[in-house]
């Protein structure tokens, strides 16, 4: 029987990321433009903090009727994320990353430790990269595998946490081969785990239906949930061949 998961299907472009379309390291005028166009008067932009990958600012605004309010906003380069698949010992396997996330913690005795989450490969685009190029680079760095085929899984760009950031993401799936070795950043702690498609699908269904409180022993990121939903829709329709 063909299985169905919730899905939405759209299209998108392959335009390269640039500072004009995706305001990364924006100046005050760029951060203010949208509000000005909507009739929200920008009183001031303060606390502009330029980080390596994200910028943050505090913006005080006045609505057309006179109400004054404050927003804290994070600006980001777009993100490419992907599910990686390979053929191994006669079966199709999918890679699930186990990655620590420092904003989350768990207490064990008197000590706090970073929590780990089940995720897929992903990372921020470098300036001038297409998101396809970002996906290929991140897959090589985080899994150690070379991409043989790369396909869009969900489109268009997904706007993440729209209340306080302009971060967007484009989801892919990739067929990989030839292991070359991971090349992780110094602040990354990633474990790659390969599971058969049938096992992942069963574990995923158990998680969604409430028969299991976690996914292979850990919590899932929301983007991994969305990606697996779309992947199995396309896979059971015969739209994905591996």
């Amino acid at each position: 029987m063909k299985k169905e998961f919730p899905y939405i299907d759209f299209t998108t472009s392959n335009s390269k990321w640039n500072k004009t379309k995706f305001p990364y390291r924006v100046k005050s005028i760029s951060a203010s433009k949208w509000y000005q166009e909507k009739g929200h008067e920008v009183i001031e932009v303060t606390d502009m903090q330029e980080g390596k990958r994200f910028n943050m600012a505090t913006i005080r605004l006045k609505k057309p009727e006179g109400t004054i309010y404050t927003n804290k906003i994070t600006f980001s380069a777009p993100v490419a994320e992907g599910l990686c698949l390979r053929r191994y010992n006669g079966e199709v396997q999918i890679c699930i990353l186990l990655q620590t996330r420092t904003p989350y913690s768990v207490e064990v005795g008197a000590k706090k430790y970073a929590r780990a989450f089940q995720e897929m490969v992903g990372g921020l685009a470098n300036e001038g990269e297409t998101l396809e190029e970002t996906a290929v680079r991140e897959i090589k760095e985080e899994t150690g595998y070379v991409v043989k085929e790369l396909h869009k899984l969900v489109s268009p760009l997904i706007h993440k946490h729209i209340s306080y950031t302009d971060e967007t993401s484009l989801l892919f799936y990739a067929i990989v081969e030839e292991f070359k070795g991971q090349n992780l950043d110094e602040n990354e702690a990633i474990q790659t785990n390969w599971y058969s498609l049938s096992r992942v699908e069963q574990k995923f269904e158990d998680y969604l239906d409430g028969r299991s409180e976690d996914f292979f022993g850990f919590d899932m990121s929301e983007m991994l949930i969305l990606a697996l939903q779309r992947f199995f829709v396309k896979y059971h329709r015969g739209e994905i061949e591996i």
Side-chain angles (χ1 to χ4, degrees):
M1 176 183 293
K2 184 174 75 170
K3 297 183 179 181
E4 291 289 347
F5 291 85
Y7 69 93
I8 304 172
D9 202 9
F10 298 95
T11 59
T12 188
S13 69
N14 288 326
S15 59
K16 289 195 173 189
W17 168 60
N18 58 70
K19 291 181 180 179
T20 302
K21 187 170 183 180
F22 302 101
Y24 178 52
R25 293 192 179 278
V26 296
K27 302 304 179 185
S28 298
I29 187 171
S30 300
S32 306
K33 184 177 179 182
W34 184 88
Y35 296 98
Q36 292 169 331
E37 290 177 347
K38 300 300 180 183
H40 293 235
E41 178 188 347
V42 178
I43 300 173
E44 62 178 347
V45 178
T46 59
D47 303 327
M48 178 63 78
Q49 302 175 43
E50 294 193 1
K52 181 178 179 181
R53 288 306 188 90
F54 296 92
N55 293 336
M56 295 179 289
T58 299
I59 303 180
R60 292 186 70 227
L61 307 109
K62 182 187 289 186
K63 294 182 180 180
E65 68 273 18
T67 303
I68 295 176
Y69 65 102
T70 300
N71 271 358
K72 289 186 179 293
I73 301 176
T74 300
F75 301 98
S76 171
V79 174
E81 298 181 79
L83 294 174
C84 298
L85 300 111
R86 70 177 184 182
R87 285 201 168 273
Y88 186 78
N89 287 341
E91 70 174 7
V92 177
Q93 295 183 332
I94 189 166
C95 184
I96 306 295
L97 304 185
L98 185 61
Q99 185 164 5
T100 56
R101 292 298 183 185
T102 51
Y104 299 88
S105 63
V106 59
E107 291 190 13
V108 180
K111 294 184 178 181
K112 283 188 176 182
Y113 299 88
R115 285 175 59 192
F117 288 82
Q118 302 285 11
E119 302 182 40
M120 58 185 157
V121 172
L124 293 155
N126 292 328
E127 187 174 354
E129 278 187 331
T130 65
L131 289 176
E132 286 79 2
E133 290 168 342
T134 302
V136 170
R137 174 177 55 78
E138 289 289 343
I139 289 169
K140 172 63 174 62
E141 291 174 357
E142 295 188 356
T143 72
Y145 278 85
V146 176
V147 174
K148 179 183 177 183
E149 297 179 26
L150 184 72
H151 305 274
K152 289 178 185 175
L153 182 60
V154 178
S155 58
L157 293 171
I158 297 166
H159 297 269
K160 305 170 76 171
H161 312 297
I162 58 176
S163 62
Y164 60 85
T165 180
D166 69 347
E167 184 180 359
T168 56
S169 182
L170 187 57
L171 301 189
F172 299 90
Y173 73 92
I175 314 300
V176 300
E177 61 181 9
E178 193 178 0
F179 181 75
K180 294 283 190 176
Q182 286 178 299
N183 183 24
L184 301 177
D185 293 338
E186 61 180 7
N187 63 338
E188 289 182 317
I190 297 175
Q191 176 180 311
T192 58
N193 297 302
W194 292 89
Y195 305 102
S196 67
L197 281 187
S198 59
R199 189 179 179 201
V200 169
E201 185 170 15
Q202 185 59 61
K203 288 281 189 180
F204 186 49
E205 289 181 340
D206 289 344
Y207 181 82
L208 291 182
D209 291 341
R211 292 188 295 270
S212 175
E213 295 184 355
D214 54 44
F215 182 69
F216 290 104
F218 293 86
D219 291 330
M220 300 176 71
S221 71
E222 78 280 8
M223 296 302 287
L224 177 58
I225 293 172
L226 176 59
L228 288 177
Q229 285 178 322
R230 177 58 60 85
F231 174 82
F232 285 116
V233 167
K234 289 179 173 287
Y235 184 70
H236 289 296
R237 283 178 174 173
E239 297 174 17
I240 293 177
E241 295 183 3
I242 306 165

